[in-house]
Amino acid sequence: MSPAKVPAERTATLKDVAEHAGVSPMTVSRALNKPETVSDALRARIDAAIDALGYVQNHVAGALASAGSNVIPVIVPSLSNTVFVEIVAGIQEVAQAAGYQLMLGNTEYDLEREYTAVSTFLGWSPPGMIIAGMRHLDRTRHLLKRWGKPVVETMEFGAQPIDMNVGLSHYKAGEAMAEHLVARGYRQIVFVGCRLDADYRAAQRYKGMDRVLAKHGLARREALSYEEPSNPARGGDALMEVLSMKPKADAIFFANDDLAVGAILRAQREGIAVPKRIAIAGFNGLPFASLVTPALTTIMSPRHEIGRIAAQQLIERISGRTPTKRRVDVSFEMQVREST
Amino acid sequence: MSPAKVPAERTATLKDVAEHAGVSPMTVSRALNKPETVSDALRARIDAAIDALGYVQNHVAGALASAGSNVIPVIVPSLSNTVFVEIVAGIQEVAQAAGYQLMLGNTEYDLEREYTAVSTFLGWSPPGMIIAGMRHLDRTRHLLKRWGKPVVETMEFGAQPIDMNVGLSHYKAGEAMAEHLVARGYRQIVFVGCRLDADYRAAQRYKGMDRVLAKHGLARREALSYEEPSNPARGGDALMEVLSMKPKADAIFFANDDLAVGAILRAQREGIAVPKRIAIAGFNGLPFASLVTPALTTIMSPRHEIGRIAAQQLIERISGRTPTKRRVDVSFEMQVREST
DNA sequence: CGTAGAAATGGTAGCGCAATCATTTCAGGG
DNA sequence: CCCTGAAATGATTGCGCTACCATTTCTACG
């Protein structure tokens, strides 16, 4: 049943190490956690004992005794969207280097599940938490506020964070792209996304766009939202639908680059002139965006950077230092290319 | 400093809940962990007490007392490669549904770091572990074997797993693609990858290809390996380099689809005829692969599925059931399209 | 209505470690 | 060589929970 060939000898404890090295358990504990407070001689003996016994520290016991673990929970709405993965990767990079472990929670865009995840994670006595988004159940906000430890909300930049916040304004991103399209002369602009009810950040980009269209007195339309998750093929199909259903449309602002690149690849295959017949714009700044023909106009969001900064801010606070800012607005960058 | 507005009242413990509900702590523990063993009446009182006190279970203490947590460590070599992320997502899906938490370790393709990660994770008394790849330090293998709990090695299918293994044979995948290219009449085939020393799975695909070329008495060449991590732009550049440096080459087998799609996009932009001037093949089956023109011939690897199965096997074993098989060879699928 | 056996509940002990405070050892000055 | 303060080491205690076993309550049946 178990792969062990070796008889399941009781695993060595810190006490065993202490006896083997002829010191007190407390000294071993210190040698492990604050090596500089133990004399070289003892440290050497202890290290030898650890090797001899194959001792591995029991972090569970450590966390209980010291009422705090080095585990940082990270809660995201999805792992199938590269955007969140890149943020997790950024967090991981910084956190692991600082000696923290990441615990991963996936809410599938469900705020109830988010609450459950937060609640469960609190039971691991983490020193802080990172959570995507700023929309949570009241219960969730209260729980985290009452908890009182550092929390970073990521992805979007918004008002009244639970504690800290690192992200960008999706509303402004939508505005920026709309201004660009309007300046380029496009007048019939359609917004296309997937699951805009759940992906409220994409919806915010739509709202930003809508405001700009209104400001310029241009035709405003409902956003086109598909039920399936974003994927490139969907982007291509959406392009064809827009062309046939709304032939007057002269530009599409896609909720993300997966859709937009999919649309460009489809246009190419179908021989549709982009941007002449219809312009295409995206959001995120995927690597493929600059390589397709025509190259995609998009907005680069610094996902990895958001993750890194979030982790840095959190660790800063965990270590008792005051972070530079509570709220960080990482800026996005318009990348105007051939598709508009 | 802390976001708490509320005075940091001592958090409620299970004992507090017990007193509030007028039962013993043991009963509360049972109500939480095996609700069916507690009478409805008591369970209701206990739930009420939990709500009233805002109690959240301390998993650290639970794990210590029961000498086992519900945390499953997952160790991968990289998070910037979508392949591993998709596996993690598959694992997550199954594990979270079964009530397990994921702890994430990233080795950056460094076997020493892998050892450290394994060792650290063991300290969280996990019920099992999932680790990418089958190449580890001897120390790592010994540690895991001696540990004696379920371990799944993923990504590749190979001989002599530490315990269980779910993956595919990259060697065979390389062979399959080479056979296809040879059958199509290509004779001067180049393998292009990035960091093939670290990414030994890609190197295995090369070896599989090389064997087939040898078998057919065709020209064999060293694989072309770049130092930077895989990215689409590199694929495009590699294509141009091969065309100018090895003008006789009539096909390129890229280590992955990021490179291959990048090459196709570049070919299109430069007006290079694919597959006429040179054929292009990839590996992984990214969504974009079928959408570019010409559509990319590639091999679909069931990443998400690998993750799901790995998690299922692990949980099966954790629950004491014997899994169907110790070793699972998930098969890959040739997707022959326009680029070859 | 009594009794056996099952189901529900409780008391006790200890998981492995670090916080805390007590004690010992050391370095350096008089 | 003693004394003082700092550095190094040790003894004790408890973190919050669950395993284990003991006890009580319920159910079914003669």
Side-chain angles (χ1 to χ4, degrees), chain A residues 181 185-192 209 213 219 221-222 224 238-254 272-280:
Chain A
L181 292 172
Y186 300 106
R187 291 294 173 265
Q188 299 283 337
I189 307 171
V190 185
F191 188 94
V192 175
M209 172 186 112
L213 296 188
R221 321 164 176 259
E222 294 261 304
L224 193 58
L239 168 67
M240 302 313 286
E241 272 184 49
V242 168
L243 287 176
S244 71
M245 312 276 283
K246 308 184 177 177
K248 284 190 190 164
D250 57 8
I252 304 180
F253 180 14
F254 281 98
I272 296 161
V274 174
K276 198 159 189 195
R277 167 66 185 86
I278 191 160
I280 292 177

Side-chain angles (χ1 to χ4, degrees), chain B residues 151-189:
Chain B
V151 174
V152 185
E153 290 167 282
T154 62
M155 290 301 299
E156 71 206 84
F157 181 70
Q160 294 161 4
I162 296 173
D163 180 18
M164 291 178 284
N165 175 215
V166 180
L168 57 88
S169 164
H170 291 258
Y171 187 85
K172 283 189 196 165
E175 287 183 329
M177 183 57 83
E179 289 288 6
H180 162 74
L181 292 172
V182 170
R184 274 282 210 262
Y186 300 106
R187 292 292 174 266
Q188 298 282 337
I189 308 172

Side-chain angles (χ1 to χ4, degrees), chain B residues 2-327:
Chain B
S2 112
K5 313 295 174 217
V6 189
E9 39 187 304
R10 189 181 61 83
T11 60
T13 70
L14 181 141
K15 203 173 150 196
D16 298 330
V17 174
E19 280 166 13
H20 193 279
V23 298
S24 85
M26 222 23 253
T27 304
V28 178
S29 172
R30 274 191 280 257
L32 253 24
N33 299 313
K34 296 178 192 167
E36 70 281 5
T37 66
V38 173
S39 67
D40 293 347
L42 282 195
R43 193 142 24 88
R45 283 211 334 252
I46 289 169
D47 286 345
I50 287 174
D51 277 356
L53 299 176
Y55 169 73
V56 300
Q57 225 179 331
N58 184 327
H59 293 108
V60 175
L64 180 59
S66 65
S69 71
N70 65 344
V71 172
I72 297 180
V74 178
I75 299 178
V76 295
S78 160
L79 280 176
S80 34
N81 188 330
T82 43
V83 171
F84 299 111
V85 173
E86 289 176 69
I87 290 191
V88 172
I91 295 171
Q92 232 271 339
E93 194 179 310
V94 172
Q96 190 161 307
Y100 293 91
Q101 309 295 336
L102 252 50
M103 226 181 227
L104 202 58
N106 181 350
T107 69
E108 298 292 344
Y109 285 102
D110 177 342
L111 295 182
E112 283 291 342
R113 289 179 70 164
E114 183 183 78
Y115 176 79
T116 310
V118 168
S119 177
T120 304
F121 285 145
L122 289 186
W124 285 102
S125 309
M129 191 175 301
I130 298 180
I131 183 166
M134 305 200 68
R135 286 203 191 166
H136 318 287
L137 297 182
D138 280 344
R139 277 183 284 154
T140 310
R141 294 181 66 88
H142 289 327
L143 186 58
L144 287 173
K145 286 217 168 192
R146 181 170 156 193
W147 184 46
K149 292 198 184 167
V151 174
V152 185
E153 290 167 282
T154 62
M155 290 301 299
E156 71 206 84
F157 181 70
Q160 294 161 4
I162 296 173
D163 180 18
M164 291 178 284
N165 175 215
V166 180
L168 57 88
S169 164
H170 291 258
Y171 187 85
K172 283 189 196 165
E175 287 183 329
M177 183 57 83
E179 289 288 6
H180 162 74
L181 292 172
V182 170
R184 274 282 210 262
Y186 300 106
R187 292 292 174 266
Q188 298 282 337
I189 308 172
V190 185
F191 187 94
V192 175
C194 287
R195 300 198 175 167
L196 292 182
D197 46 333
D199 187 356
Y200 66 90
R201 278 171 291 270
Q204 280 175 348
R205 299 196 283 277
Y206 166 70
K207 280 184 196 152
M209 172 185 113
D210 193 55
R211 191 193 142 276
V212 169
L213 297 188
K215 189 182 91 181
H216 289 280
L218 296 177
R220 297 159 61 190
R221 320 165 176 259
E222 294 262 304
L224 193 57
S225 177
Y226 293 95
E227 277 313 306
E228 72 197 286
S230 271
N231 67 297
R234 176 75 267 169
D237 293 345
L239 168 67
M240 302 313 286
E241 272 184 49
V242 169
L243 287 176
S244 70
M245 312 277 283
K246 308 183 177 177
K248 284 189 190 165
D250 57 9
I252 304 180
F253 180 14
F254 281 99
N256 60 56
D257 280 3
D258 280 292
L259 294 170
V261 168
I264 288 195
L265 294 176
R266 182 66 171 276
Q268 201 169 273
R269 186 163 279 266
E270 306 273 353
I272 296 161
V274 174
K276 198 158 188 196
R277 167 66 186 87
I278 192 160
I280 292 177
F283 178 84
N284 267 343
L286 289 196
F288 287 123
S290 62
L291 302 176
V292 290
T293 307
L296 178 69
T297 291
T298 186
I299 289 177
M300 172 64 98
S301 63
R303 281 104 46 201
H304 201 265
E305 201 52 26
I306 290 178
R308 290 182 53 91
I309 297 175
Q312 279 159 2
Q313 298 262 116
L314 192 76
I315 291 171
E316 196 96 333
R317 275 283 294 285
I318 290 172
S319 320
R321 293 184 290 269
T322 331
T324 29
K325 297 185 201 171
R326 257 176 119 88
R327 300 171 64 221

